Amino acid sequence: MRPEPGGCCCRRPVRANGCVANGELRNGYVRSGAVAAAAAASQIHHVTENGGLYKRPFNEAFEETPMLVAVLTYVGYGVLTLFGYLRDFLRHWRIEKCHHATEREEQKDFVSLYQDFENFYTRNLYMRIRDNWNRPICSVPGARVDIMERQSHDYNWSFKYTGNIIKGVINMGSYNYLGFARNTGSCQEAAAKILEEYGAGVCSTRQEIGNLDKHEELETLVARFLGVEAAMAYGMGFATNSMNIPALVGKGCLILSDELNHASLVLGARLSGATIRIFKHNNMQSLEKLLKDAIVYGQPRTRRPWKKILILVEGIYSMEGSIVRLPEVIALKKKYKAYLYLDEAHSIGALGPSGRGVVDYFGLDPEDVDVMMGTFTKSFGASGGYIGGKKELIDYLRTHSHSAVYATSLSPPVVEQIITSMKCIMGQDGTSLGKECVQQLAENTRYFRRRLKEMGFIIYGNEDSPVVPLMLYMPAKIGAFGREMLKRNVGVVVVGFPATPIIESRARFCLSAAHTKEILDTALKEIDEVGDLLQLKYSRHRLVPLLDRPFDETTYEETED
Amino acid sequence: MNVEVAHSELNPNTRVMNSRGIWLAYAILVGLLHMVLLSIPFFFSIPVVWTLTNVIHNLYKAQAMYIFLHTVKRTPFETSVQGKAWLFIHWEQMDYGLQFTSSRKFLSISPIVLYLLASFYTKYDAARFLINTASLLSILLPKLPQFHGVHLFGINKY
């Protein structure tokens, strides 16, 4: 049942962002049995065509966890906890060998140096499946990668290399959205030439003697790419966020940050000293309420107006695969006169008809976003981050940002890689390679997601996001999925608690323009097989309103004076 | 910092009791305990079984939950707030110390329900009544908001 353009196909009264309004509240979740029943027969997507704000359908879905699976997941964690206590007991009484750090015998009566309980989870749960992470690779992480094989004889406490290399593993974990992670081609040749000319290191900060002409060239190019007045590039993406937000806001300002924002944004917000309030993920009602309250009530005790209100959102949220509702955020920002900081780490290059990010994807004006931040790590195959905006803003950041003053600037071959890949995406190198890559990525995304949904897996996120989280739920399946996929020559990234909510462990696939259809088909075949083996096909095609999220309540902890 | 973490939740321990299906899992666990006790023949008659369920539930609450909720401090994983929850037991950590949330109400009501059932099935005789009441009080008093952060006789203070 396809929705007609301009209409919403949910049969119940809808609010602004298309969420179904009625539903009973139970245990903190909105459960809508009637919508589920109605949706059971046909696939109803939450399509929003919100009074002309959205020029294209916005399909985002987070299917509800099946109750049986949730209960079994708790049982799983319970059993693991009990066994953890048992093993700790055995280790304490020296029946079992103790591998982790302990104090010397003479110091046992002192105040303890190592926090035993805080490592409980690491010791007893993470260690068991540790071989799924930190796998050493020994080739360029393109569509296929070579992984060094390792073995453990003491249950993952230590690893030994067998000497084999697993060749040609299909790489579904690298943020290689446009396929620029290559060691051949024009980018590599240009970077090699610049390496010969400028060397590898800069040995200084931007403010001292580390400002190369290459950096200026990069910054004008980035500004043109994004459609903003000026831009500034930094050596590290994480440092871009964490060092620049303190330069922009301070005490007496308010930061409204999305629930699922990345650690760099959270760190930057906390370092700034501003008051932080968190709104529910991608939930515009929550954001509007916070904005209204902030403006009406002002600062906590003095009731003075806030000096600045900054909204922090990301383009694509990499754990959920969801895309920010940018048209609505911009409408709210204009209405309440707040500032918007958009972190396009994952979406630059990966979204939009010409690869210019989430602003391009929604067809909006880049001037509406006050601070456009992004990284070169993902789609450009390099490293570093940038901030784009008005010229006064960038000039201010050049003098006041910690990264500019203290951190070493970008290395010249890396800068050349970014310049070459950006020109390629823009089509300025004379080929249509960039455009093809962007289109290939979009096709891969749609195809992969559609096939996984048809197979019956629960997939989170927006239809157009190249980050595809596949839900595993149970702790044992995290380890099993990673290992089984590696046996079948596919490398995936799996994530569990506490990085995700306790019952929502997942495997996260990152699609790439470098993946051909054959590679995707092979990967899909293996995923299908492993899904049958591990019984991962939970989907009952029951889509629920987007209000239903685990970190449900507004956080009670506010960093206020 | 919140490394490798996908959300800005400073202490995920506070949200565990609100997660989907955990109340059901808790209820099933109690039911299972009761079944296990019921299936032991002879010695245990029905009143004894109910008393035992109540006591073991509270003790198991005193072992699993009492210990898990009321004795064990800190968190089983490293949080980014550098030990803000260092001295807090799980009960105090729930919902960041906000009282009377739905999970707290659920966890307070469940021993009361079991107590009522146990009293009914033991036909209110004196000895079992004392045991049940004592165990109910031992599990209910620490949940009161007045006891938030209170350490009687300095037990479990650090």
Side-chain angles (χ1 to χ4, degrees), chain A residues 117-179:
Chain A
F117 191 58
E118 281 204 358
N119 283 323
F120 182 87
Y121 181 81
T122 314
R123 260 200 320 269
N124 296 312
L125 274 73
Y126 175 71
M127 278 297 171
R128 287 169 178 261
I129 48 175
R130 194 164 77 113
D131 54 312
N132 289 310
W133 293 287
N134 297 326
R135 289 187 185 139
I137 62 175
C138 49
S139 75
V140 64
R144 289 186 184 269
V145 69
D146 297 337
I147 297 184
M148 295 181 71
E149 198 185 358
R150 12 173 228 183
Q151 251 180 11
S152 175
H153 298 288
D154 53 357
Y155 301 105
N156 288 348
W157 285 93
S158 64
F159 289 108
K160 290 201 182 14
Y161 294 112
T162 58
N164 285 345
I165 296 181
I166 312 175
K167 286 201 181 295
V169 177
I170 296 178
N171 186 0
M172 307 291 303
S174 291
Y175 305 132
N176 182 20
Y177 299 130
L178 291 177

Side-chain angles (χ1 to χ4, degrees), chain A residues 437-454:
Chain A
C437 282
V438 173
Q439 274 172 358
Q440 177 73 27
L441 177 66
E443 279 171 25
N444 284 355
T445 308
R446 290 268 173 161
Y447 177 65
F448 196 74
R449 278 179 171 267
R450 187 175 55 83
R451 284 286 306 273
L452 282 180
K453 285 219 173 89
E454 281 168 12

Side-chain angles (χ1 to χ4, degrees), chain B residues 72-105:
Chain B
V72 173
K73 299 194 285 283
R74 299 153 214 173
T75 55
F77 38 80
E78 284 159 20
T79 58
S80 64
V81 281
Q82 297 190 352
K84 216 164 174 176
W86 181 263
L87 290 176
F88 281 154
I89 56 182
H90 193 191
W91 180 256
E92 286 160 1
Q93 282 177 31
M94 269 171 61
D95 294 322
Y96 292 110
L98 192 74
Q99 300 296 334
F100 305 123
T101 61
S102 36
S103 306
R104 285 183 187 236
K105 284 186 214 162

Side-chain angles (χ1 to χ4, degrees), chain A residues 117-257:
Chain A
F117 191 58
E118 281 204 358
N119 283 323
F120 182 87
Y121 181 81
T122 314
R123 260 200 320 269
N124 296 312
L125 274 73
Y126 175 71
M127 278 297 171
R128 287 169 178 261
I129 48 175
R130 194 164 77 113
D131 54 312
N132 289 310
W133 293 287
N134 297 326
R135 289 187 185 139
I137 62 175
C138 49
S139 75
V140 64
R144 289 186 184 269
V145 69
D146 297 337
I147 297 184
M148 295 181 71
E149 198 185 358
R150 12 173 228 183
Q151 251 180 11
S152 175
H153 298 288
D154 53 357
Y155 301 105
N156 288 348
W157 285 93
S158 64
F159 289 108
K160 290 201 182 14
Y161 294 112
T162 58
N164 285 345
I165 296 181
I166 312 175
K167 286 201 181 295
V169 177
I170 296 178
N171 186 0
M172 307 291 303
S174 291
Y175 305 132
N176 182 20
Y177 299 130
L178 291 177
F180 280 110
R182 280 203 296 255
N183 54 0
T184 52
S186 59
C187 295
Q188 180 265 341
E189 285 161 19
K193 204 159 75 66
I194 292 295
L195 177 65
E196 285 178 13
E197 229 177 286
Y198 286 85
V202 186
C203 305
S204 186
T205 68
R206 286 301 289 276
Q207 278 206 351
E208 292 174 10
I209 203 147
N211 190 18
L212 303 176
D213 56 345
K214 278 282 160 201
H215 292 132
E216 311 258 323
E217 190 189 328
L218 171 65
E219 288 173 357
T220 29
L221 185 64
V222 169
R224 218 175 42 223
F225 181 71
L226 297 171
V228 293
E229 281 180 26
M232 183 165 176
Y234 303 92
M236 184 176 161
F238 189 101
T240 312
N241 273 334
S242 53
M243 297 291 119
N244 283 312
I245 297 180
L248 294 173
V249 289
K251 222 159 170 296
C253 302
L254 176 66
I255 292 183
L256 299 174
S257 142

